Amino acid sequence: MTLFARYRILLPVLSLAILLAATFYMQPRAMSYFGVNLLFNLAVPIALATIAQMCIIMVNDIDLSLGAFVSLVACVVATFLNDTPLLGLVILLALVLAYAALGAVIHALDLPAIVVTLGMSFVWGGLALFILPSPGGSSPDWLRTLMTVKPPFVPMAVVASVLIAGITHLLFIRSGLGTVLRGVGGNARSVARAGWPVIRLKALAYGCAGLFGVLAGMALVGLTTSADANIALRYTLLSIAGVILGGGEFTGGKVSPVGAVIGALTLTLAASFLSFLRLSPDWQIGAQGAILILVLTARLLFTRRDAQA
């Protein structure tokens, strides 16, 4: 096993550990159940959104509409799902199917995903504004209860992140279908020659992204108890950064669900750490980008060492 192969997952783990140690050093009171819960309070929706983006990157596409989609889901959850649960479930299912159809159309017409999803971001955003023109709505009681459960020893955010990482690892890395989906990103022509319908696989990948996007929106409303048409717009860039930070690549179907979740946790923690440094919010986004660049630089160094070995 090469050095880079070993460190593909160790690098995001190391970056999270270093950032966590620095946070505890800056704020020792955070080293408690309540403190860790506050640090990773919004980690679950970000982790789910990152997995959604990973599903798209896995097939060599990129989704610039994810943040707007999660915001739309949040608006549906805080209104229809809360007031008329059956109608809300139908709408959420329709959104997942719409995402799957989007993947099929992109493949069938050979359209650039980056352009199509950018256009869809305006569609999702417009629908969100139509449903909820101003911040409001309310989280369903069962969803709020689920997201605020306090398991012993470890906060809910950490437990949920571990479960998300484990389930998605089995789904996309260990299962045969997950291997074929990653094969679409690696070499779609070979997958097609093997008899697999690539258009259906693309639709499935996008459908999985839609499903995890819906779960992200639900988790977000469960934590915030209300919604806003712009509540998750930043998730688009955060999800892309989380996938890359976790060892994923834009080509070749090379992704890591566990790494993606760790990347999401790292970005969530980075926001808290930068707040402890009393860094202006205007500079925090740049600082998060600097953290991403540092990790990617380290990964590049390991890649070059493997090439020379």
Side-chain angles (χ1 to χ4, degrees):
M1 183 179 292
T2 65
L3 182 64
F4 176 64
R6 292 202 310 265
Y7 279 81
R8 177 176 288 273
I9 187 62
L10 290 182
L11 276 174
V13 170
L14 184 61
S15 63
L16 177 61
I18 292 174
L19 194 56
L20 189 61
T23 302
F24 287 157
Y25 177 79
M26 291 289 299
Q27 188 59 261
R29 286 179 296 179
M31 202 183 306
S32 64
Y33 185 102
F34 181 71
V36 172
N37 187 54
L38 286 178
L39 290 176
F40 295 106
N41 186 41
L42 293 177
V44 174
I46 294 177
L48 289 167
T50 302
I51 293 295
Q53 187 69 250
M54 186 201 74
C55 294
I56 306 298
I57 292 178
M58 179 173 61
V59 293
N60 286 354
D61 288 343
I62 191 168
D63 185 2
L64 296 183
S65 68
L66 185 60
F69 180 78
V70 174
S71 296
L72 171 59
V73 170
C75 291
V76 171
V77 171
T79 53
F80 292 105
L81 190 63
N82 183 53
D83 302 332
T84 53
L86 183 58
L87 178 59
L89 285 174
V90 171
I91 294 174
L92 294 178
L93 177 60
L95 290 175
V96 174
L97 293 176
Y99 238 71
L102 182 64
V105 170
I106 287 174
H107 177 76
L109 301 180
D110 196 23
L111 299 173
I114 190 171
V115 176
V116 175
T117 56
L118 178 61
M120 287 304 299
S121 67
F122 296 104
V123 175
W124 305 135
L127 291 173
L129 282 171
F130 178 77
I131 294 172
L132 203 60
S134 59
S138 180
S139 171
D141 292 335
W142 61 269
L143 183 58
R144 176 62 177 168
T145 301
L146 177 64
M147 294 306 301
T148 55
V149 168
K150 295 183 178 179
F153 309 115
V154 183
M156 176 60 179
V158 177
V159 173
S161 296
V162 172
L163 288 175
I164 293 169
I167 292 172
T168 53
H169 178 78
L170 292 175
L171 181 62
F172 295 112
I173 303 299
R174 291 296 184 182
S175 73
L177 185 58
T179 301
V180 175
L181 285 173
R182 286 184 288 115
V184 173
N187 193 326
R189 291 183 179 179
S190 295
V191 173
R193 284 197 294 267
W196 289 90
V198 176
I199 188 171
R200 293 183 183 178
L201 293 173
K202 272 286 189 78
L204 179 59
Y206 273 76
C208 289
L211 175 60
F212 283 105
V214 166
L215 294 176
M218 293 177 66
L220 184 58
V221 174
L223 291 170
T224 60
T225 70
S226 62
D228 176 6
N230 300 314
I231 192 171
L233 292 184
R234 67 191 185 96
Y235 280 21
T236 298
L237 296 181
L238 282 177
S239 63
I240 296 172
V243 174
I244 303 306
L245 186 62
E249 297 182 13
F250 286 116
T251 58
K254 297 178 180 178
V255 293
S256 170
V258 176
V261 173
I262 294 174
L265 291 174
T266 303
L267 292 171
T268 304
L269 182 60
S272 300
F273 175 71
L274 295 172
S275 296
F276 290 150
L277 290 177
R278 297 181 180 179
L279 192 65
S280 169
D282 296 333
W283 290 93
Q284 287 188 14
I285 296 178
Q288 287 180 324
I291 293 173
L292 177 61
I293 291 172
L294 285 174
V295 175
L296 293 181
T297 301
R299 197 165 82 184
L300 178 61
L301 292 176
F302 285 121
T303 304
R304 290 181 175 177
R305 287 185 61 181
D306 287 345
Q308 295 173 357

